[in-house]
Amino acid sequence: MLKLEQIFNYRYNLLSLTAAQWCGRIRRDPVFDTVHRSPVSYYLYKGEADAERIVLYDLVGDVEYAVERASFNRDSIPVILGGAKAGETVFITNLVRFKDRYYVAGVIFPEGKDKGVENVRMAREKKSLKEQQKDLYPVFLNASKGQPAVFVKDSAGLRSFYEKSMGFNLKDGVKMPDVPAWAACVAVYCDPVSGMYVSMRGGECVALPSNHFYDKEVAKDQALSFYYDGGMVTYWIACLLHDSNLLPDAALNSLKGYEYGRDFLHRNGSFFLDYFYGCCREYDYDPYQ
């Protein structure tokens, strides 16, 4: 199942495409854009849709699928549909969509009805809440006066930004990250994909006029981290900072000197970002959002 998850959904370096996207590029066939693999879930067997398909109901996602019967006939799946009981048998598996048809993918585990469903549902709801952070983007832009980042000195500054600028109620469940003693400044970013992102590192490297903590010498030494360290900021923010020339002093360590390393990095910045963040400009970044 892990292998199939990697094949269908994982993206790695270079062009950072999924296997389906690679096939589409190689074959030059848009049909591969229709390939999608669902997360692992609990599917209730509801009987036959027709001679070629059976009906599976996603107990977690509350969606019903007509799944190709032939996809159950592979030797790697130790399940015989003849033993399944409509309305009772639950399969733990995931589905692949291709040309608007659905196929069982990976291993199938038969379980008793509803077993473990609540745990999966809670995990998905937690992920959904995290994704809802993107709704903070317009609020953040208003608080930052349209700037992609806000810089504060310490916990007190961060608390002030949270409460006064963003309107958060820290007494009502909103959590503020702890600021370590070694942090020279705290950078708060936000993007329309991932929402708000607080970073304790690298704020001194971002050359925004509003950043009073900017330090050119520190930037020469550390700003390169924005291009290869995925823990520094999100991919979207890294692209924005690069495209807007807000990391002007970032440079590769080069035997030909600082100037050469800086120019080489900025000429090829998009490649470095895609490679080290495991992303792709075409699919992961829209500068106009």
Side-chain angles (χ1 to χ4, degrees):
M1 187 171 285
L2 179 59
K3 289 180 180 178
L4 285 170
E5 179 71 12
Q6 292 176 330
I7 290 172
F8 283 100
N9 293 339
Y10 282 31
R11 291 190 288 159
Y12 296 100
N13 306 121
L14 295 179
L15 293 184
S16 295
L17 306 175
T18 64
Q21 290 165 345
W22 272 111
C23 287
R25 297 289 182 92
I26 295 169
R27 293 287 302 273
R28 298 182 181 178
D29 189 340
V31 71
F32 287 99
D33 292 335
T34 69
V35 175
H36 173 73
R37 185 170 185 262
S38 71
V40 173
S41 192
Y42 288 73
Y43 295 89
L44 176 66
Y45 172 62
K46 297 187 70 173
E48 296 185 354
D50 51 43
E52 296 181 349
R53 299 175 298 170
I54 66 167
V55 179
L56 294 183
Y57 175 71
D58 184 350
L59 292 166
V60 179
D62 195 27
V63 181
E64 190 171 279
Y65 299 93
V67 182
E68 299 298 308
R69 176 187 290 272
S71 64
F72 281 83
N73 296 334
R74 291 180 286 123
D75 294 337
S76 61
I77 300 178
V79 170
I80 301 175
L81 278 178
K85 296 182 180 180
E88 295 185 17
T89 301
V90 174
F91 299 135
I92 303 176
T93 188
N94 40 29
L95 308 176
V96 167
R97 183 187 71 205
F98 179 66
K99 292 185 176 180
D100 292 327
R101 288 180 172 268
Y102 290 90
Y103 303 82
V104 166
V107 180
I108 290 183
F109 300 100
E111 293 283 351
K113 187 176 181 180
D114 296 344
K115 182 177 180 181
V117 171
E118 191 59 31
N119 289 336
V120 178
R121 182 179 287 117
M122 289 174 63
R124 287 219 193 151
E125 287 176 353
K126 184 177 180 180
K127 181 179 180 181
S128 177
L129 287 174
K130 184 177 181 180
E131 291 174 345
Q132 288 173 16
Q133 289 189 44
K134 64 184 180 182
D135 295 336
L136 293 174
Y137 186 58
V139 180
F140 178 87
L141 286 182
N142 183 62
S144 69
K145 298 180 173 55
Q147 298 300 307
V150 169
F151 304 89
V152 298
K153 183 178 181 180
D154 49 25
S155 292
L158 186 59
R159 176 180 291 274
S160 177
F161 177 73
Y162 267 49
E163 293 181 329
K164 296 180 181 179
S165 301
M166 293 295 296
F168 291 158
N169 186 349
L170 298 180
K171 297 179 181 179
D172 191 28
V174 177
K175 293 184 179 180
M176 189 183 81
D178 295 327
V179 179
W182 51 259
C185 75
V186 181
V188 186
Y189 306 94
C190 194
D191 72 62
V193 179
S194 304
M196 222 162 79
Y197 190 93
V198 181
S199 179
M200 309 300 167
R201 300 181 294 137
E204 316 94 297
C205 303
V206 181
L208 271 172
S210 58
N211 184 7
H212 303 301
F213 304 97
Y214 183 72
D215 188 318
K216 189 178 184 70
E217 294 306 313
V218 172
K220 285 183 177 181
D221 183 53
Q222 299 180 15
L224 174 62
S225 298
F226 282 88
Y227 288 87
Y228 71 82
D229 184 353
M232 184 73 76
V233 291
T234 65
Y235 173 75
W236 198 95
I237 290 295
C239 287
L240 177 64
L241 296 178
H242 168 73
D243 291 359
S244 303
N245 196 33
L246 294 178
L247 301 169
D249 299 306
L252 289 173
N253 294 323
S254 173
L255 294 175
K256 295 184 178 181
Y258 169 76
E259 298 289 339
Y260 178 87
R262 183 191 61 189
D263 295 344
F264 185 88
L265 176 64
H266 286 274
R267 285 198 309 272
N268 301 283
S270 292
F271 173 84
F272 284 104
L273 289 170
D274 284 6
Y275 184 88
F276 285 108
Y277 281 80
C279 292
C280 175
R281 280 279 176 134
E282 181 179 347
Y283 297 103
D284 300 306
Y285 180 65
D286 179 0
Y288 302 105
Q289 285 184 310

